[in-house]
Coordinates of all heavy atoms in Angstrom, one line a residue:
M1 N 102.0 102.9 115.9 CA 101.6 102.2 114.6 C 101.2 103.2 113.6 O 100.5 104.1 113.9 CB 100.5 101.2 114.9 CG 100.9 100.1 115.9 SD 99.8 98.8 116.1 CE 100.6 97.7 117.1
N2 N 101.6 102.8 112.3 CA 101.1 103.6 111.2 C 100.2 102.7 110.4 O 100.5 101.8 109.8 CB 102.4 104.0 110.3 CG 102.0 104.9 109.3 OD1 100.8 104.9 108.7 ND2 102.9 105.8 108.8
P3 N 98.8 103.0 110.4 CA 97.8 102.1 109.8 C 98.1 102.1 108.2 O 97.6 101.2 107.5 CB 96.5 102.8 110.2 CG 96.8 103.6 111.3 CD 98.2 104.1 111.2
M4 N 98.6 103.2 107.7 CA 98.8 103.3 106.3 C 100.0 102.4 105.7 O 99.8 101.7 104.7 CB 99.1 104.8 105.8 CG 98.0 105.6 106.4 SD 98.3 107.4 105.9 CE 98.1 107.4 104.2
T5 N 101.1 102.4 106.5 CA 102.3 101.6 106.0 C 102.4 100.3 106.7 O 103.2 99.4 106.5 CB 103.5 102.4 106.3 OG1 103.7 102.7 107.7 CG2 103.4 103.7 105.5
K6 N 101.5 100.1 107.8 CA 101.5 98.9 108.7 C 102.8 98.8 109.5 O 103.2 97.8 110.0 CB 101.3 97.6 107.9 CG 100.1 97.6 106.9 CD 98.9 97.8 107.8 CE 97.7 97.8 106.9 NZ 96.4 98.1 107.6
F7 N 103.5 100.0 109.6 CA 104.8 100.0 110.4 C 104.5 100.0 111.9 O 103.6 100.8 112.3 CB 105.7 101.1 110.0 CG 106.8 101.4 110.9 CD1 107.9 100.6 110.7 CD2 106.9 102.3 111.8 CE1 109.1 100.7 111.5 CE2 108.0 102.5 112.7 CZ 109.0 101.7 112.4
T8 N 105.1 99.2 112.7 CA 104.9 99.1 114.1 C 106.2 99.3 114.8 O 107.2 98.6 114.4 CB 104.3 97.8 114.4 OG1 103.0 97.6 113.8 CG2 104.0 97.7 116.0
R9 N 106.2 100.1 115.9 CA 107.4 100.4 116.6 C 107.1 100.3 118.1 O 106.1 100.8 118.6 CB 108.0 101.7 116.4 CG 109.3 102.0 117.1 CD 109.9 103.3 116.6 NE 109.2 104.5 116.9 CZ 109.4 105.2 118.1 NH1 110.3 104.8 118.9 NH2 108.7 106.4 118.4
L10 N 108.0 99.5 118.8 CA 107.8 99.4 120.3 C 108.3 100.8 121.0 O 109.6 101.0 120.7 CB 108.5 98.2 120.9 CG 108.5 98.0 122.4 CD1 107.2 97.9 122.9 CD2 109.4 97.0 122.8
V11 N 107.5 101.5 121.6 CA 108.0 102.7 122.2 C 108.5 102.4 123.7 O 109.6 103.0 124.0 CB 106.9 103.7 122.2 CG1 107.3 105.0 123.0 CG2 106.4 104.1 120.8
H12 N 107.8 101.6 124.4 CA 108.2 101.3 125.8 C 107.6 100.0 126.2 O 106.6 99.5 125.9 CB 107.5 102.5 126.7 CG 107.9 102.1 128.1 ND1 109.0 102.7 128.7 CD2 107.2 101.5 129.1 CE1 109.1 102.3 130.0 NE2 107.9 101.6 130.2
S13 N 108.5 99.3 126.9 CA 108.2 98.0 127.5 C 108.5 98.0 128.9 O 109.7 98.1 129.3 CB 108.8 96.8 126.8 OG 108.5 95.6 127.4
E14 N 107.5 97.9 129.9 CA 107.9 98.1 131.2 C 108.5 96.9 131.8 O 109.3 96.9 132.8 CB 106.5 98.4 132.1 CG 106.7 98.8 133.5 CD 107.4 100.2 133.8 OE1 107.5 100.9 132.8 OE2 107.6 100.6 134.9
K15 N 108.1 95.7 131.4 CA 108.8 94.4 131.7 C 109.0 93.7 130.4 O 109.1 94.3 129.4 CB 107.8 93.7 132.7 CG 107.7 94.2 134.1 CD 107.0 93.3 135.0 CE 107.1 93.7 136.4 NZ 106.2 92.8 137.4
T16 N 109.2 92.4 130.6 CA 109.4 91.5 129.4 C 108.4 91.6 128.4 O 107.1 91.5 128.7 CB 109.6 90.0 129.8 OG1 110.7 90.0 130.9 CG2 110.0 89.2 128.7
L17 N 108.7 91.8 127.1 CA 107.7 92.0 126.1 C 107.0 90.6 125.8 O 107.7 89.6 125.5 CB 108.3 92.6 124.8 CG 107.4 92.7 123.6 CD1 106.4 93.8 124.0 CD2 108.2 93.1 122.4
L18 N 105.7 90.5 126.0 CA 105.0 89.4 125.8 C 104.1 89.3 124.5 O 103.3 88.4 124.3 CB 104.1 89.0 127.0 CG 104.9 88.7 128.3 CD1 103.9 88.4 129.5 CD2 105.8 87.5 128.2
C19 N 104.2 90.4 123.7 CA 103.5 90.5 122.5 C 104.4 90.7 121.3 O 105.4 91.3 121.3 CB 102.7 91.9 122.7 SG 101.6 92.2 121.3
D20 N 103.9 89.9 120.2 CA 104.7 90.0 118.9 C 104.1 91.0 117.9 O 104.3 90.8 116.7 CB 104.7 88.6 118.4 CG 105.8 88.4 117.3 OD1 106.8 89.1 117.4 OD2 105.6 87.7 116.3
A21 N 103.5 92.1 118.4 CA 102.9 93.1 117.5 C 104.0 93.7 116.6 O 103.6 94.2 115.5 CB 102.1 94.1 118.3
V22 N 105.2 93.7 117.1 CA 106.2 94.5 116.3 C 106.4 93.8 114.9 O 106.6 94.5 114.0 CB 107.5 94.6 117.1 CG1 108.6 95.2 116.2 CG2 107.4 95.5 118.3
N23 N 106.5 92.5 115.0 CA 106.8 91.8 113.8 C 105.7 91.5 113.0 O 105.7 91.2 111.7 CB 107.6 90.5 114.2 CG 108.9 90.8 114.8 OD1 109.6 91.7 114.4 ND2 109.2 90.1 115.8
S24 N 104.3 91.3 113.5 CA 103.3 90.7 112.8 C 101.9 91.5 113.0 O 100.9 91.1 112.8 CB 103.0 89.2 113.3 OG 102.8 89.1 114.7
G25 N 102.0 92.8 113.4 CA 100.9 93.6 113.5 C 100.1 93.4 114.8 O 100.4 92.6 115.7
C26 N 99.0 94.2 115.0 CA 98.2 94.2 116.3 C 96.8 94.1 116.0 O 96.2 94.8 115.2 CB 98.5 95.6 117.0 SG 97.6 95.7 118.5
R27 N 96.2 93.1 116.7 CA 94.7 92.8 116.4 C 93.9 94.0 117.1 O 92.8 94.3 116.5 CB 94.3 91.5 117.1 CG 92.9 91.2 116.9 CD 92.6 89.8 117.3 NE 91.2 89.4 117.1 CZ 90.4 88.9 118.0 NH1 90.8 88.7 119.2 NH2 89.2 88.8 117.7
A28 N 94.3 94.6 118.2 CA 93.5 95.7 118.8 C 93.6 96.9 117.8 O 92.5 97.6 117.7 CB 94.2 96.1 120.1
D29 N 94.6 97.1 117.1 CA 94.7 98.3 116.1 C 93.8 97.9 115.0 O 93.2 98.9 114.4 CB 96.1 98.5 115.7 CG 96.3 99.8 115.0 OD1 95.8 100.9 115.5 OD2 96.8 99.8 113.9

């Protein structure tokens, strides 16, 4: 994640992706 541009990229998913952080940001971040 880029906090300045809010750009998020999925680098690796070990199983089925259950998080929509790619499209709508991440609360943990």
Side-chain angles (χ1 to χ4, degrees):
M1 298 187 175
N2 187 330
M4 302 175 68
T5 64
K6 307 303 179 184
F7 173 77
T8 302
R9 180 170 73 90
L10 176 66
V11 175
H12 178 86
S13 180
E14 189 72 2
K15 284 188 176 179
T16 304
L17 181 64
L18 297 178
C19 176
D20 195 29
V22 172
N23 298 316
S24 53
C26 176
R27 185 171 180 228
D29 192 47

